[in-house]
Amino acid sequence: MTFSELGLDDSILEALSYMGFEKATPIQEQAIPNILEGKDLLACAQTGTGKTAAFILPVLNQLANKDHKKIKALVVCPTRELAMQIEQQIQGFSYFLNVGSIAVYGGGDGKDFVQQRKAIERGTEVIVATPGKLISHLNMGYVDFSEIDYFILDEADRMLDMGFFDDIQTISSHIKNKHQTLLFSATMPPKIRKLSKAILNNPFEISIAISKPAEGVLQAAYLTYDSQKSALIRQLIKEKPTYESIIVFTSTKKKVGDIVRALKGQGYQVQAISSDLQQKEREDALRKFRSKETRVVVATDVLSRGIDIKGINLVINYDVPNDAEDYIHRIGRTARADSTGVALTLINQDDMPKFKKIEDLIESEVMKVPLPKELGEGPEWNPNYRGSRSGGRSNYKGKNSRRIGKKGSGKHSNSKNKSKRK
Ligand code: AMP
């Protein structure tokens, strides 16, 4: 279905055509007419489905050709990166419209807060905000939500995981006039059902096949001891000189630092992105990665959800994510739209049961590739592995077992080093 068949305003159609959007994606086909009809929406859809345009286009359509100068739509999302990205998309879609937007998030200096305050007081039509910073502004008393027509929650499951349930209720309680609420979530656990009961009114429901990695991602996995991982990622990156953009994901901030150190000095730019960085540093790092100045980024799951960077060739999971859905998000960073990409996961023994759960979720077995010879043998695949302390290493029979065994029980040993997940 084309966007003009969806009845969107000419100015929006023109912007879409400039952006190279030809056909609506399934979620856009389903969501846009229902939002235009005034319904609340509960949508189960992951990033990469085109969900941002699905909620923003009908909102912009209603705002087109009118002069409001009031806050008409509020988008709340979990991270500042996502807030910035959504706001940038809004700027693109509204290029030929007289609609203003601003991203409201924390982490900047005091000047940012003052600028955000000014924009809020001026009455910018669309606000994209993270919950905490929005509440800081709400508490100051100058936010006028009296004309809000659309309240949109994006990545709602992530926000609840981050402990924002009460904040969302607080924000919702500030919107007193009649409005439409649109809730987007990658998963539908009971807590999302609970939230949707509290804030949605007889919603139209859409579920876009989740839990399936994008087609076009070639997935493979290496069974490794922790002590082999640094050498393995060095080799994987070295072997692929034509890959311009590579992301290495890991679950903790500490490991981000370890991996960056392991990769430094290889003759290409490596950059860490985790919540340890100042906001400005994170923005700089993302900008350089987008512009291909930085070839390799090492990140925690800060980047795995929602961030849209074009042309990533390779995603390496240095460890298996704790949450099976995060695997799909992580590998979804590659092969966006119609392109192809490679996703490689390093699995130690402790992570094998977790990886099996991922395979169950995606309903397919990921190919286990042998380690390069010079790294020695890795562990055997044992999805029922019960932990190193129960003697599970005994199935390791590689000729370098003593050497690797010693290193493996040292500082990189995963089982001893499970610091809190970012
Ligand atoms: P999202 O799921 O909103 O994060 O979108 C994923 C990517 O798909 C973004 O780069 C969008 O710009 C792009 N996109 C969304 N809708 C379309 C469409 N109808 N045609 C082409 N690209 C699209």
Side-chain angles (χ1 to χ4, degrees):
M1 189 182 262
T2 63
F3 289 102
S4 58
E5 285 173 298
L6 286 167
L8 296 174
D9 188 89
D10 284 346
S11 317
I12 296 175
L13 294 177
E14 199 175 349
L16 287 171
S17 134
Y18 270 97
M19 292 168 82
F21 285 29
E22 284 164 11
K23 285 200 180 132
T25 64
I27 191 161
Q28 291 159 3
E29 261 186 57
Q30 293 180 54
I32 292 173
N34 282 291
I35 300 173
L36 288 174
E37 272 181 31
K39 291 181 191 151
D40 277 6
L41 180 70
L42 175 61
C44 187
Q46 60 190 107
T47 2
T49 53
K51 64 188 171 66
T52 316
F55 63 73
I56 273 303
L57 294 177
V59 168
L60 293 177
N61 200 68
Q62 301 304 77
L63 300 181
N65 310 318
K66 293 177 197 138
D67 200 13
H68 299 284
K69 298 289 167 270
K70 287 274 185 185
I71 303 170
K72 302 298 284 182
L74 171 66
V75 183
V76 180
C77 66
T79 63
R80 33 200 175 183
E81 279 79 10
L82 190 53
M84 287 190 309
Q85 185 180 292
I86 295 172
E87 203 269 328
Q88 275 162 12
Q89 286 211 44
I90 295 172
Q91 284 189 21
F93 297 139
S94 60
Y95 193 79
F96 300 106
L97 300 175
N98 188 17
V99 170
S101 56
I102 181 177
V104 169
Y105 50 83
D109 50 25
K111 274 193 227 142
D112 287 349
F113 194 87
V114 174
Q115 270 173 0
Q116 291 168 9
R117 174 180 180 153
K118 277 188 190 148
I120 290 170
E121 286 182 320
R122 242 193 343 259
T124 302
E125 283 90 348
V126 187
I127 291 187
V128 186
T130 53
K133 193 49 58 174
L134 180 62
I135 287 185
S136 308
H137 284 288
L138 282 167
N139 288 341
M140 309 275 282
Y142 46 73
V143 184
D144 177 6
F145 276 171
S146 64
E147 293 204 16
I148 284 206
D149 292 329
Y150 301 96
F151 176 37
I152 300 157
L153 296 166
D154 193 17
E155 303 271 0
D157 51 348
R158 188 60 151 195
M159 287 198 277
L160 297 194
D161 286 347
M162 291 166 82
F164 286 135
F165 190 94
D166 291 343
D167 285 355
I168 291 171
Q169 298 270 33
T170 305
I171 293 166
S172 175
S173 71
H174 277 81
I175 310 173
K176 298 200 169 64
N177 67 317
K178 197 166 172 296
H179 61 276
Q180 271 174 266
T181 305
L182 317 174
L183 190 153
F184 288 76
S185 183
T187 56
M188 271 306 141
K191 54 192 178 179
I192 289 289
R193 293 269 160 203
K194 186 177 160 208
L195 178 69
S196 67
K197 280 216 175 75
I199 63 171
L200 297 178
N201 180 17
N202 194 19
F204 182 81
E205 291 194 26
I206 300 176
S207 182
I208 297 294
I210 55 157
S211 307
K212 291 278 181 292
E215 282 174 28
V217 183
L218 175 70
Q219 300 171 68
Y222 290 92
L223 307 176
T224 73
Y225 293 108
D226 287 329
S227 54
Q228 296 167 306
K229 285 186 173 181
S230 293
L232 179 57
I233 50 170
R234 271 200 300 271
Q235 183 139 345
L236 291 175
I237 294 172
K238 198 167 125 200
E239 269 171 5
K240 298 177 173 62
T242 54
Y243 287 10
E244 288 181 313
S245 294
I246 299 172
I247 296 187
V248 183
F249 278 116
T250 183
S251 44
T252 68
K253 290 186 269 186
K254 184 191 168 298
K255 281 199 238 162
V256 168
D258 293 345
I259 299 167
V260 168
R261 272 187 294 282
L263 292 177
K264 279 253 163 88
Q266 302 290 304
Y268 41 77
Q269 281 289 328
V270 185
Q271 171 78 56
I273 301 186
S274 78
S275 54
D276 271 353
L277 292 189
Q278 297 292 317
Q279 176 60 22
K280 171 107 184 35
E281 294 171 317
R282 271 158 76 171
E283 281 168 32
D284 267 4
L286 270 178
R287 185 180 46 72
K288 284 189 180 151
F289 189 53
R290 282 201 166 98
S291 66
K292 310 257 186 287
E293 207 177 307
T294 304
R295 181 163 171 232
V296 182
V297 153
V298 184
T300 54
D301 285 299
V302 161
L303 264 197
S304 80
R305 290 236 182 177
I307 298 303
D308 182 39
I309 299 174
K310 300 241 160 21
I312 292 172
N313 316 101
L314 173 63
V315 171
I316 299 176
N317 292 313
Y318 188 80
D319 40 38
V320 177
N322 292 324
D323 178 351
E325 293 280 346
D326 276 342
Y327 174 80
I328 297 164
H329 287 289
R330 284 186 184 185
I331 74 166
R333 299 309 91 208
T334 180
R336 309 227 52 163
D338 293 331
S339 64
T340 52
V342 178
L344 304 175
T345 303
L346 277 45
I347 311 174
N348 68 11
Q349 288 170 301
D350 286 328
D351 281 351
M352 287 178 189
K354 257 196 277 172
F355 197 74
K356 177 70 175 63
K357 280 199 189 133
I358 290 171
E359 292 185 324
D360 291 346
L361 181 75
I362 62 177
E363 293 173 348
S364 70
E365 213 172 286
V366 175
M367 184 173 43
K368 315 288 181 311
V369 190
L371 288 176
K373 278 211 175 57
E374 54 278 28
L375 296 186
E377 280 178 47
E380 280 166 26
W381 175 237
N382 176 10
N384 300 317
Y385 185 75
R386 299 222 172 270
S388 16
R389 260 170 265 124
S390 64
R393 281 187 70 94
S394 60
N395 64 356
Y396 173 59
K397 298 186 191 75
K399 65 179 161 60
N400 298 327
S401 63
R402 196 155 294 152
R403 182 173 60 77
I404 288 168
K406 264 190 190 155
K407 273 195 191 167
S409 58
K411 101 173 169 58
H412 289 285
S413 174
N414 213 28
S415 56
K416 292 192 175 172
N417 219 10
K418 276 207 173 103
S419 40
K420 197 170 170 285
R421 196 170 156 246
K422 170 53 222 60

